[in-house]
């Protein structure tokens, strides 16, 4: 089964990439996997405080991913798998791709303006070394509006 990996956060471009991935998955009888990333905290002086901050960030990421999954299920009938990883975003995506050969495409959302975002910048420069195709979806892209002629 073809799996489309989407890196999820609270941005409009992430929502656009999730919609795009869900349509691609539905077209090929595939699946969607949401990867929610939590940045590693650098508050080493107070270990308990750092652990609390990281747990709260992880909880927020899980709520966000589950909310996006619920919306996706309601819109397309596809229930995505969800993973939450803590650490450097680029490293976590690379590690995930290395561990999951079933991923058929990495789908990232690009922010509007001159800076598309750190993941798009990083992975577009590394596209030739990725184990799967890289899809970059512009912020606000609506494939259905294009088909309707909006």
């Amino acid at each position: 089964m073809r799996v489309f990996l989407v890196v999820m956060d609270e941005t409009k471009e992430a929502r656009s990439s999730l919609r795009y991935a869900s349509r691609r998955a539905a077209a090929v009888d595939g699946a969607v996997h949401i990867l929610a990333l939590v940045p590693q905290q650098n508050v080493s002086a107070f270990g308990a405080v750092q652990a609390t901050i990281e747990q709260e960030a992880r909880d927020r990421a899980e709520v966000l991913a589950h909310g996006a999954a619920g919306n996706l299920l309601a819109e397309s009938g596809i229930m995505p798998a969800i993973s939450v990883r803590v650490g450097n975003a680029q490293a976590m995506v690379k590690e995930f791709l290395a561990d999951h050969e079933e991923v058929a495409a990495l789908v990232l959302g690009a922010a509007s303006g001159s800076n598309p975002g750190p993941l798009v910048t990083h992975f577009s420069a590394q596209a030739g070394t990725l184990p799967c195709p890289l899809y970059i979806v512009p912020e606000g892209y609506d494939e259905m509006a294009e088909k309707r002629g909006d």
Side-chain angles (χ1 to χ4, degrees), residues 39-91:
Q40 184 78 39
Q41 301 298 317
N42 294 324
V43 186
S44 58
F46 304 100
V49 172
Q50 180 175 348
T52 300
I53 291 170
E54 285 180 359
Q55 186 58 48
E56 288 174 356
R58 184 178 182 86
D59 291 345
R60 277 192 308 276
E62 287 179 1
V63 166
L64 174 69
H66 284 284
N71 290 339
L72 182 61
L73 179 62
E75 290 175 8
S76 67
I78 294 174
M79 185 60 186
I82 298 171
S83 296
V84 179
R85 301 274 176 102
V86 178
N88 174 277
Q90 291 92 346

Side-chain angles (χ1 to χ4, degrees), residues 139-150:
E139 177 184 327
Y141 178 72
D142 185 355
E143 184 177 13
M144 297 311 287
E146 204 171 275
K147 287 181 179 179
R148 290 188 306 265
D150 293 352

Side-chain angles (χ1 to χ4, degrees), residues 9-122:
D9 59 20
E10 299 175 280
T11 61
K12 286 189 273 184
E13 58 266 23
R15 289 189 297 274
S16 294
S17 65
L18 183 60
R19 278 193 308 274
Y20 184 86
S22 71
R23 291 192 180 111
R24 294 283 75 70
V28 299
D29 198 28
V32 175
H33 195 117
I34 295 174
L35 179 59
L37 301 173
V38 179
Q40 184 78 39
Q41 301 298 317
N42 294 324
V43 186
S44 58
F46 304 100
V49 172
Q50 180 175 348
T52 300
I53 291 170
E54 285 180 359
Q55 186 58 48
E56 288 174 356
R58 184 178 182 86
D59 291 345
R60 277 192 308 276
E62 287 179 1
V63 166
L64 174 69
H66 284 284
N71 290 339
L72 182 61
L73 179 62
E75 290 175 8
S76 67
I78 294 174
M79 185 60 186
I82 298 171
S83 296
V84 179
R85 301 274 176 102
V86 178
N88 174 277
Q90 291 92 346
M92 292 295 98
V93 172
K94 283 180 187 177
E95 181 181 301
F96 190 91
L97 291 172
D99 293 345
H100 294 86
E101 293 178 4
E102 73 277 10
V103 174
L106 172 59
V107 184
L108 299 176
S112 60
S114 62
N115 182 4
L119 289 178
V120 171
T121 301
H122 176 80

